[in-house]
DNA sequence: GAGCACTGC
């Protein structure tokens, strides 16, 4: 009662203030009717803050009114009112991401103003940066402070409060929330944005929300997508109404090649040169598949255009891929170079990029796009439990997205380096959703935690291969996360709370039993650090070195980058290896680097001098803190073995094995390694820090490149296998191989030992 | 003695 009164008073106060300013205004405007004044007054009050709108608000409002989606506001609100779920298709530039959630907000509150229940509107995004930047923009549009009425929530950062009514969050974050709030009861409307990207988290949310909708008639779901896969979404959400919003892109003219290209890299470079020679000014964006290819292409483009001399304008060739340090990534936003002489031929910026420029990063000013039609994609083979990256043809949807990048600021052109026939007949309409291409062990664990017991009948939009689900269930059962009936165990429940792969969360949860949870925490953080090359210990070092060299030899780089960089980087990597390397394994090397970093008080200049990547370490430390908090929630002890004890490293290696006993390789007498049980021939990746070839190793990752490599490896002992994972190393259920014979011997030895013990 | 598309919790 009291607060209600207070609220009214303050509102009244504000109204009073504005009517004064309004009175002044109407005076200068020559006045207006009292009723009109009253209306104008209420529309000048921000209903969220109770304060009058700022000048900036009105300025932005004018721009908002020109967005295509604004014209369909009423249509949208009616559709939303009429049904529980709704599909909205809008191309880039329609304004859907910023405006639709605001429309929803208006509708929701006007409908349930009496209930006064604290209900939020959620809008998911596949990427953190998007969640963050869009929420800032919308807070500005609504004339409120970010983190108050409008907020965002991403890993490591919750910028929302009890006042928040609109929250942007990553799809993975909403999935996490669902684990503790299965009916998502704090939300009245959930908007899944960028649904066409079909991330793993969005796909799981689809299935989950479909169930929640049945249990919560008051909940509404809006699915927003950029492509015409909308009919599929519509069918999935049992005929939800479909609304289309036009985009606001400039026209892009598409060109195909007459004949298929034999060498797309060569063709791409040739096309760049031709555009530069014959087309009107405007920057070029070239899509290639990976770092090495991109660096190679940049060198060749510079060389070929250099050969043309001053008959053409100057160029600035910029590579772009995710592992490039941010400072280098920034270069894509630099302007094109000016003409060499005043009034000369204008310069051109040429960005050579991976898929990152297709979705994650937008570069304005691009007028020409070159699309060879390939991208590296991950594929999962459940038979051998291996994920690998393969260069494969893109989808029509992807090609469409790429060409759209040419029309952001003016009409553009897109050169597809394949035939039109090939586009029509060979490219599949959509990129295979991630859920069909991934190892699902972690996803299955999440689903179990969400209370989905029957995975086979769970309503996936695209059901994964049964074999993939079986593999995931099998792995989780071996780890002890699921019992033999497929039910979540207590251990599994704890494991599901960690934002890590099941193997890693398993080793973390059991690490106190091996008296080394502090060390396993550090190793886990270093391994799961996603900001930089997480895999090779060298990369914690070489990146910093690269940047150092870049500064020192600034202008020479363009001429002889390959030789200078790799020699220096190699030297740095070798030095670092000598300093931090641990002969028993790469995981222990990572631990050494982390310890050294902490012992030197995270000092940036120490990092610099030791070629250690501070950014990577800082991020690992952040992950570690999050993991420590989760350990605390479950009363998992933080402990270490005495550093000088003989068992210090042994305990760590045993704890690691408790999680990774399914990723073991055995050294055969022939001199090569075979993975245990799957019997695949593998090779130690040359980046390893071992000084010997151990008989048994565990590995973090299996990569298929020029050969089958196992990367990030550690020496373990055969006896530990039968001690720590006897259920997996049960020989009755083991393929015939050399490893089996060795294990048989180990079992016999242990039996003899036990007998001796009993006799005594 | 090789060479890692892109996200996310």
């Amino acid at each position: 009662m009291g607060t209600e009164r207070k609220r009214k008073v303050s509102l009244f106060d504000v109204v009073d203030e504005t009517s004064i300013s309004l009175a002044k205004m109407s005076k200068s405007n020559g006045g207006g009717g009292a009723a009109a004044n009253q209306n104008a007054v209420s529309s000048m009050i921000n209903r969220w803050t109770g304060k009058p709108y700022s000048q900036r608000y009105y300025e932005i409002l004018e721009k908002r009114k020109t967005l295509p989606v604004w014209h369909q506001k009423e249509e949208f609100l009616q559709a939303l009112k009429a049904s529980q779920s709704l599909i909205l298709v809008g191309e880039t530039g329609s304004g859907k991401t910023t405006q639709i959630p605001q429309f929803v907000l208006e509708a929701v509150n006007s409908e349930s103003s009496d209930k006064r229940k604290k209900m939020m509107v959620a809008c998911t995004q596949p990427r953190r940066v998007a969640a963050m930047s869009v929420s800032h923009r919308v807070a500005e549009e609504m004339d409120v402070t970010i983190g108050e009425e409008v907020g965002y929530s991403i890993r490591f950062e919750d910028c929302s409060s009890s006042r928040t009514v609109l929250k942007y969050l990553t799809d993975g974050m909403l999935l996490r929330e669902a684990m503790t709030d299965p009916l998502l009861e704090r939300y009245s409307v959930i908007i899944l944005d960028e649904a066409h990207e079909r991330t793993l988290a969005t796909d799981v949310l689809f299935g989950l929300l479909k169930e929640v909708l049945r249990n919560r008639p008051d909940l509404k779901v809006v699915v927003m997508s950029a492509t015409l896969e909308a009919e599929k979404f519509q069918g999935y959400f049992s005929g939800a109404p479909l609304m289309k919003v036009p985009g606001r892109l400039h026209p892009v003219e598409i060109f195909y090649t007459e004949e298929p290209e034999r060498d797309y890299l060569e063709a791409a470079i040739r096309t760049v040169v031709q555009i530069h020679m014959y087309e009107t000014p405007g920057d070029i964006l070239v899509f290639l598949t990976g770092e090495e290819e991109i660096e190679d292409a940049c060198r060749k483009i510079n060389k070929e255009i250099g050969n043309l001399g001053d008959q053409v304008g100057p160029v600035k060739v910029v590579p772009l891929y995710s592992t490039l340090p941010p400072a280098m990534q920034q270069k894509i936003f630099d302007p094109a170079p000016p003409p060499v002489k005043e009034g000369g031929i204008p310069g051109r910026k040429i960005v050579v990029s991976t898929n990152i420029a297709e979705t994650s990063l937008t570069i304005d000013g691009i007028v020409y796009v070159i699309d060879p039609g390939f991208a590296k994609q991950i594929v999962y083979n459940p038979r051998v439990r291996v994920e690998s990256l393969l260069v494969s043809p893109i989808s029509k949807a992807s090609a469409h997205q790429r060409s759209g990048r040419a029309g952001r600021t003016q009409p553009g052109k897109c050169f597809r380096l394949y035939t039109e026939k090939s586009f029509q007949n060979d490219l599949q309409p959509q990129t295979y959703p991630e859920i069909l291409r991934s190892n699902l062990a972690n996803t299955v664990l999440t689903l179990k935690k969400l209370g989905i017991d029957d995975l086979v009948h769970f309503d996936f939009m695209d059901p994964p291969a049964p074999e993939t689900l079986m593999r995931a269930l099998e792995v989780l059962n071996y780890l002890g996360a699921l019992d033999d009936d497929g039910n979540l165990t207590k251990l599994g429940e704890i494991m599901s709370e960690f934002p890590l792969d099941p193997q890693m969360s398993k080793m973390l949860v059991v690490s106190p039993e091996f008296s080394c949870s502090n060390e396993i925490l550090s190793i886990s953080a270093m391994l799961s650090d996603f900001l930089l090359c997480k895999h090779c210990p060298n990369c914690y070092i070489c990146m910093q070195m690269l940047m150092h060299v870049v500064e020192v030899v600034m202008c020479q780089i363009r001429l002889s980058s390959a030789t200078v960089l790799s020699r220096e980087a190699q030297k740095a990597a070798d030095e670092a290896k000598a300093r931090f390397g641990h002969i028993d394994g790469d995981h222990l090397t990572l631990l050494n680097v982390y310890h050294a970093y902490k012992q030197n008080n995270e000092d940036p200049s120490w990092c610099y001098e030791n070629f250690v990547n501070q950014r990577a370490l800082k991020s690992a430390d952040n992950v570690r803190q999050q993991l420590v908090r989760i350990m605390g929630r479950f009363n998992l002890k933080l402990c270490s073995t005495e550093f000088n004890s003989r068992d210090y490293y042994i305990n760590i290696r045993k704890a690691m094995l408790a999680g990774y006993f399914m990723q073991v390789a055995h050294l055969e007498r022939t001199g090569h390694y075979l993975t245990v049980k799957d019997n695949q021939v593998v090779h130690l990746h040359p980046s390893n820090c071992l000084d010997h070839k151990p008989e048994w190793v565990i590995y973090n990752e299996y990569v298929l490149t020029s050969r089958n490599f196992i990367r990030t490896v550690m020496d373990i002992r055969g006896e530990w296998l039968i001690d720590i994972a006897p259920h997996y190393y049960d020989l009755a259920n083991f393929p015939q191989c050399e490893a089996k014979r060795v294990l048989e011997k180990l079992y016999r030895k242990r039996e003899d030992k036990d007998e001796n013990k009993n006799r005594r």
Side-chain angles (χ1 to χ4, degrees), chain A residues 407-425:
Chain A
R408 290 188 62 83
T409 36
Q410 67 180 80
K413 289 181 181 178
C414 174
F415 298 88
R416 294 186 174 156
L417 305 182
Y418 37 93
T419 62
E420 184 163 13
K421 200 173 141 208
S422 174
F423 173 80
Q424 294 301 348
N425 302 338

Side-chain angles (χ1 to χ4, degrees), chain A residues 439-550:
Chain A
N439 172 356
L440 295 181
N442 208 9
T443 305
V444 167
L445 185 60
T446 307
L447 284 167
K448 288 282 175 183
K449 170 69 187 172
L450 288 167
I452 314 294
D453 295 322
D454 186 0
L455 293 172
V456 181
H457 295 106
F458 182 66
D459 194 357
F460 289 108
M461 187 176 285
D462 284 288
E467 208 178 351
T468 307
L469 286 176
M470 289 310 295
R471 271 296 190 181
L473 290 166
E474 186 191 62
V475 164
L476 292 170
N477 178 242
Y478 276 128
L479 288 171
L482 299 179
D483 63 22
D484 291 346
D485 299 323
N487 298 314
L488 200 62
T489 60
K490 186 79 196 109
L491 172 67
E493 211 151 293
I494 300 175
M495 282 166 59
S496 73
E497 294 288 327
F498 287 93
L500 305 170
D501 278 342
Q503 288 89 332
M504 210 183 277
S505 28
K506 168 71 186 278
M507 76 168 180
L508 205 46
V509 174
V510 300
S511 62
E513 296 166 28
F514 294 89
S515 311
C516 58
S517 51
N518 285 321
E519 289 73 21
I520 294 294
L521 274 164
S522 308
I523 293 172
S524 303
M526 293 288 276
L527 285 173
S528 71
D529 173 15
F530 48 83
L531 270 186
L532 289 162
C533 339
K534 53 188 167 186
H535 312 298
C536 99
N538 291 347
C539 287
Y540 277 92
I541 298 121
C542 57
M543 201 77 88
Q544 181 87 41
M545 190 63 211
L546 282 175
M547 288 169 76
H548 176 65
V549 175
V550 167

Side-chain angles (χ1 to χ4, degrees), chain A residues 192-199 202 206 223-226 229 233:
Chain A
L192 298 178
D193 197 6
E194 312 289 0
H196 60 278
E197 287 196 30
R198 301 291 304 274
T199 63
T202 294
F206 277 148
V223 177
M224 304 206 290
S225 161
E229 211 183 10
F233 294 151

Side-chain angles (χ1 to χ4, degrees), chain A residues 34 46 127 188 289 300 303 352 380 453 501-503 537 541 561 599 617 639 660 699 707:
Chain A
N46 188 332
R127 282 167 291 277
S188 55
T289 65
K300 286 181 175 155
K303 192 171 155 233
V352 187
Y380 177 62
D453 295 322
D501 278 342
Q503 288 89 332
I541 298 121
S561 59
Q599 268 157 22
L617 268 292
C639 52
Y660 286 90
Y699 56 91
R707 302 164 99 179

Side-chain angles (χ1 to χ4, degrees), chain A residues 12-28 37 41 44-45 52:
Chain A
F12 183 75
D13 284 346
V14 176
V15 170
D16 224 2
E17 258 171 49
T18 39
S19 37
I20 295 167
S21 64
L22 188 78
K24 279 183 197 156
M25 244 169 65
S26 22
K27 208 172 186 178
S28 58
N37 261 2
V41 168
M44 289 176 83
I45 301 300

Side-chain angles (χ1 to χ4, degrees), chain A residues 49-325:
Chain A
T49 58
K51 290 182 196 153
Y53 285 119
S54 66
Q55 188 57 40
R56 175 116 180 96
Y57 170 84
Y58 292 104
E59 285 165 21
I60 301 178
L61 186 63
E62 287 314 306
K63 281 192 202 132
R64 289 171 62 197
K65 285 180 182 168
T66 66
L67 289 167
V69 72
W70 191 271
H71 304 294
Q72 281 158 279
K73 185 173 173 182
E74 282 314 311
E75 186 192 338
F76 171 79
L77 290 176
Q78 276 178 16
L80 183 71
K81 204 171 177 179
S83 58
Q84 207 184 359
S85 42
L86 174 62
I87 319 291
L88 190 133
V89 181
E91 295 281 332
T92 321
S94 61
K96 62 181 192 309
T97 304
T98 51
Q99 305 310 304
I100 292 289
Q102 295 187 64
F103 297 168
V104 168
L105 215 48
E106 286 181 31
V108 177
N109 259 16
S110 57
E111 267 176 24
S112 60
S113 53
D114 50 350
K115 283 191 216 146
R116 274 278 156 217
K117 254 203 293 179
K118 197 71 201 167
M119 296 280 260
M120 280 189 280
V121 172
C123 181
T124 67
Q125 296 293 319
R127 282 167 291 277
R128 287 188 209 165
V129 270
M132 239 156 69
S133 60
V134 173
S135 63
H136 273 99
R137 169 70 192 182
V138 171
E140 203 181 4
E141 290 190 359
M142 285 171 57
D143 216 6
V144 299
T145 311
I146 186 75
E148 298 280 324
E149 287 76 10
V150 176
Y152 63 88
S153 179
I154 57 176
R155 188 181 184 184
F156 305 126
E157 202 185 349
D158 181 11
C159 182
S160 67
S161 68
S162 57
R163 297 171 63 96
T164 303
V165 286
L166 171 58
K167 188 163 79 173
Y168 285 87
L169 71 179
T170 48
D171 48 8
M173 203 66 206
L174 187 62
L175 204 52
R176 282 276 145 188
E177 289 188 2
M179 284 171 57
T180 50
D181 177 11
L183 289 178
L184 293 160
E185 286 178 290
R186 67 189 96 166
Y187 301 107
S188 55
V189 179
I190 293 172
I191 304 167
L192 298 178
D193 197 6
E194 312 289 0
H196 60 278
E197 287 196 30
R198 301 291 304 274
T199 63
L200 249 176
T202 294
D203 261 26
V204 174
L205 283 170
F206 277 148
L208 190 71
L209 285 174
K210 216 175 150 176
E211 293 208 347
V212 175
L213 282 171
R214 246 180 279 149
N215 295 304
R216 275 193 56 198
D218 62 312
L219 178 74
K220 285 184 193 285
V221 170
V222 180
V223 177
M224 304 206 290
S225 161
T227 55
L228 293 168
E229 211 183 10
E231 281 80 12
K232 185 169 183 173
F233 294 151
Q234 217 179 351
Y236 181 74
F237 283 103
S238 27
L242 173 68
M243 211 180 118
K244 291 186 180 174
V245 183
R248 206 171 47 178
L249 277 180
H250 299 276
V252 175
E253 208 178 336
I254 312 272
F255 298 89
Y256 293 92
T257 55
E258 293 285 333
E259 296 292 325
E261 290 289 350
R262 202 173 301 160
D263 178 347
Y264 70 81
L265 186 60
E266 184 267 330
I269 294 166
R270 185 175 6 103
T271 313
V272 169
V273 175
Q274 278 167 2
I275 292 173
H276 189 53
M277 287 173 75
Y278 303 118
E279 297 282 345
T280 53
D283 298 338
I284 305 175
L285 172 60
V286 189
F287 284 102
L288 293 178
T289 65
E291 169 176 347
E292 202 181 340
E293 194 178 80
I294 287 170
E295 293 293 351
D296 184 37
C298 286
R299 278 192 294 273
K300 286 181 175 155
I301 292 169
N302 270 322
K303 192 171 155 233
E304 295 218 3
I305 292 182
N307 287 345
L308 296 173
D310 46 10
Q311 52 172 315
V312 294
V315 292
K316 181 177 196 138
V317 185
V318 209
L320 176 65
Y321 42 88
S322 74
T323 47
L324 206 61

